[in-house]
Every structure is written in C-alpha cells, then in structure tokens.
Amino acid sequence: MTQIPTITEARRVASDRLETRVLFAGPEDGVPVIFVHGNLSAATWWEETMLRLPEGYRAIAPDLRAYGEADPAAKVDATRGMRDFSDDLAALMDALGVTAAHMVGHSLGGAVLWQMLADHPGRVLSLTQVCPGAPQGFGGCKLDGTPCFPDNAGSGGGAVNPDLIALMKAQDRGDETPNHMRNVLNAFVWKPPFVPERIEDILTSALAQHVGEADYPGDMVTSDNWPGVAPGKLGPINALAPIHQADPMGFTKSGATVPILWLRGADDQVVADGSLFDLGTLGSVGAVPGWPGAEVFPPQPMIAQTEAALAAYEAGGGRVERVVLADCGHSPYLEQPAAFDAAFHDFLASM
C-alpha cells in the first residue's frame, strides 16, 4: 500500500507560462486533485485540506500568478478576465503530466475555475466550488452581469481600501486598526470568533500577495461615474471586474457536464448578495458617500448570479450539488473541516 506523507511537499515548477511554488501531498500515482486558492491567499491555505484527502488521491496546490511565491515578473493581463489564471493551470498540468483532474476553488480560485471549465472542459473531472466568485465577476454589476456604468466604475483596483494596501506594503502584521490584514481576515474571511490555529502562517501567505499598480490592487482610471474610479488593465482585482468577463456563462456552453459541488458558508460576508466588499452594498448603507441609488448601482446579487448560472448548467445536463454550512463564513474548509470533508469526500466518491 502506498504510504501517504503527513506533510505537504513544496517544489518550484516551471511551465510554458509561469514558474511558481506548488504544494503536493498523497501518492504520486494517485488521482489528481488541484486546489486553487483565493485572493489575499496562497497554496498554504489548503495544506490541511490536502492532507485530509482520502487514500488514493494526489493533491496539487499552486501559488497563482501575482500571489505567494509565483514569479514576480509574471503579471496578470486583466483584460483577459480569469484567462491568465486558467491558462496557467492548464500549462501547469502539462508540465506535471496531468491530463485531467478534480478541481477545487476558493473565492477568486472559484472564479478561475468557471473559466477553466469554459476553456479547458476536457481537463476537468469535477469542480468543487467553495464560496466562489460569481461567474459574472465582482463589483458594480446587475443580476445579468451588465456593469452599472459602461466603464464599470466601482469595481476593480480602485475599489480596494488604500489603507490596507499601505499596510500590506509595509508587511505590517499588527492589529491596531480595522484595516490591518490580521483584522480583515479575522473580521470577514472567517466568522468570528473563529481564528485558525495556523493564523501566523496564513497571515504570512496573505501578506505575500504581490503589491503594486501591476499587481494588487492593480491600476485604475478616473471616472465621471460614482465613485470616481474604474478598473484598469493589470492585476487580479481588475481581472475580476465584470467588464473583463467576456462570456460569464461560457462554462454552461462548453459542452461540459462534469459534476459541480457548490459549498458555501451561510454567513459569508465576502461573496454574498450583500457583500461588505461590494461598493453597491457599502453605498446603500451610507459607508461610501454619493451612492446613486439601487436603480443605478444596486448591491451585486452574487449568490443569485451563481445560482442562475448553475441552473443553466443543470438545464444543459450538468449535475450540481449545493451545500450551505450554518454558522460559517467565507472559509468553510478552515472553519468547519469535518463538515467540509464530509461533503467534499462524499462528492469525490460519487464519481
């Protein structure tokens, strides 16, 4: 019987597109499962989940372009939406000799996997989407994904809190203000009072996000529309802007019918119909002055958007399972590992 290691192995892997750090666990001849991290994150976040996989699976988790220990010279062309990331994953699979894999995405990583299923459907055995970004993108759009303004003002790099960016540049690990990364994670990414046992490692990987006008938060342009800034053309946050999603429903048209597990926390504050990171929500509660009102700039209905896309996927013959964990925030695999594993492992076993 193949012996499964008790720690992950880290290696640098160079593909035709990107050199980055990749974590591995499980037998080399196991069925591959690729884990894709979210924003302000890195492969580190997945380590315990990787090690808990059932016997016979090979866990693989890369640091995405613009995150962690990925090549800092590799920038995200935001005008391609999620395609730089999904093409990087396909190239990594080529470099590792992986034809197809089960795939697990969290937050931004989930948005990457909608694109992966659209562009590389033959390489996906199944999708487990953990609090995924809506296929329509993030910020400043209506239910069908149409930007609230033609330039998609209110989304992209200009929507990121500049105080957080300054503290990230300083690599500040403190907790003196609400804008310190430690407090952002503890207040929003998991549901208080939960704090992960490995908070220091998780904080380190969050602060390893590549920062700058070409990275995070990316560039931005001034706008005559509220709140005065619109997405630029570089960096992962601009890549999430709805204006850069060429075909949000592409995965429903690719011919793919692989099973999808949509698993989320009931109390997620990040990807929600009233996300506290969406300027439509913040404007509606008076936190950002000058909000033009719900007719012009409503809070983005992220859950409703994902549900509509998955309903279309089901209508095309795809199978979708939905799991909502009570008393859980934006990181179910960290907050409720037993409940997460029960749903995820059962899903894998159903193939």
Side-chain angles (χ1 to χ4, degrees):
M1 182 180 296
T2 304
Q3 186 68 34
I4 299 177
T6 56
I7 59 172
T8 59
E9 173 197 1
R11 297 205 314 257
R12 294 204 67 78
V13 178
S15 73
D16 289 342
R17 289 181 51 83
L18 177 70
E19 180 183 336
T20 190
R21 179 188 71 145
V22 183
L23 301 182
F24 299 90
E28 291 190 9
D29 60 352
V31 178
V33 182
I34 296 177
F35 293 84
V36 187
H37 66 78
N39 189 46
L40 300 178
S41 180
T44 301
W45 288 46
W46 288 118
E47 286 193 271
E48 284 76 19
T49 309
M50 295 167 69
L51 293 168
R52 296 193 307 265
L53 274 178
E55 187 172 354
Y57 289 96
R58 173 68 164 173
I60 303 167
D63 286 346
L64 294 176
R65 179 183 296 246
Y67 294 85
E69 295 182 31
D71 178 4
K75 306 302 182 185
V76 176
D77 178 356
T79 65
R80 303 188 73 226
M82 296 289 102
R83 283 197 163 98
D84 266 0
F85 298 119
S86 61
D87 288 349
D88 286 349
L89 287 179
L92 174 65
M93 293 171 74
D94 289 341
L96 296 175
V98 174
T99 302
H102 298 286
M103 298 191 176
V104 186
H106 175 218
S107 197
L108 175 141
V112 171
L113 293 186
W114 300 131
Q115 193 66 57
M116 187 75 184
L117 189 57
D119 291 347
H120 308 282
R123 312 207 70 167
V124 182
L125 298 176
S126 73
L127 285 189
T128 296
Q129 296 282 56
V130 187
C131 306
Q136 293 80 2
F138 194 103
C141 71
K142 300 184 179 181
L143 180 61
D144 65 356
T146 302
C148 297
F149 297 113
D151 62 356
N152 209 175
S155 72
V160 177
N161 187 320
D163 292 336
L164 171 64
I165 301 304
L167 290 164
M168 289 174 65
K169 285 182 178 178
Q171 291 290 291
D172 196 318
R173 302 178 68 92
D175 61 1
E176 294 83 359
T177 76
N179 296 317
H180 276 79
M181 178 66 75
R182 185 184 300 273
N183 289 336
V184 170
L185 296 175
N186 285 334
F188 300 107
V189 178
W190 34 81
K191 184 177 179 180
F194 173 81
V195 177
E197 288 185 10
R198 292 183 64 202
I199 181 60
E200 297 306 324
D201 292 333
I202 286 173
L203 177 61
T204 295
S205 64
L207 290 171
Q209 173 105 35
H210 303 185
V211 179
E213 286 192 359
D215 290 305
Y216 183 87
D219 57 336
M220 63 194 78
V221 297
T222 58
S223 173
D224 293 333
N225 299 309
W226 183 84
V229 289
K233 297 181 178 181
L234 292 168
I237 304 306
N238 286 322
L240 281 167
I243 200 172
H244 293 320
Q245 312 313 310
D247 187 4
M249 300 292 282
F251 76 96
T252 73
K253 308 170 188 175
S254 67
T257 58
V258 300
I260 296 177
L261 170 62
W262 179 23
L263 193 155
R264 60 188 179 89
D267 302 316
D268 188 351
Q269 300 183 84
V270 179
V271 176
D273 285 347
S275 169
L276 294 179
F277 291 82
D278 170 42
L279 287 182
T281 301
L282 295 174
S284 71
V285 299
V288 180
W291 181 58
E295 280 291 316
V296 175
F297 203 115
Q300 182 182 346
M302 301 178 192
I303 301 302
Q305 288 174 328
T306 298
E307 179 55 55
L310 288 175
Y313 185 74
E314 288 176 308
R319 172 167 70 91
V320 178
E321 297 183 22
R322 298 163 176 81
V323 175
V324 181
L325 298 184
D327 196 31
C328 184
H330 187 59
S331 55
Y333 58 101
L334 295 176
E335 297 172 65
Q336 296 188 20
F340 176 85
D341 286 355
F344 175 39
H345 295 177
D346 284 351
F347 177 67
L348 287 177
S350 72
M351 304 300 155

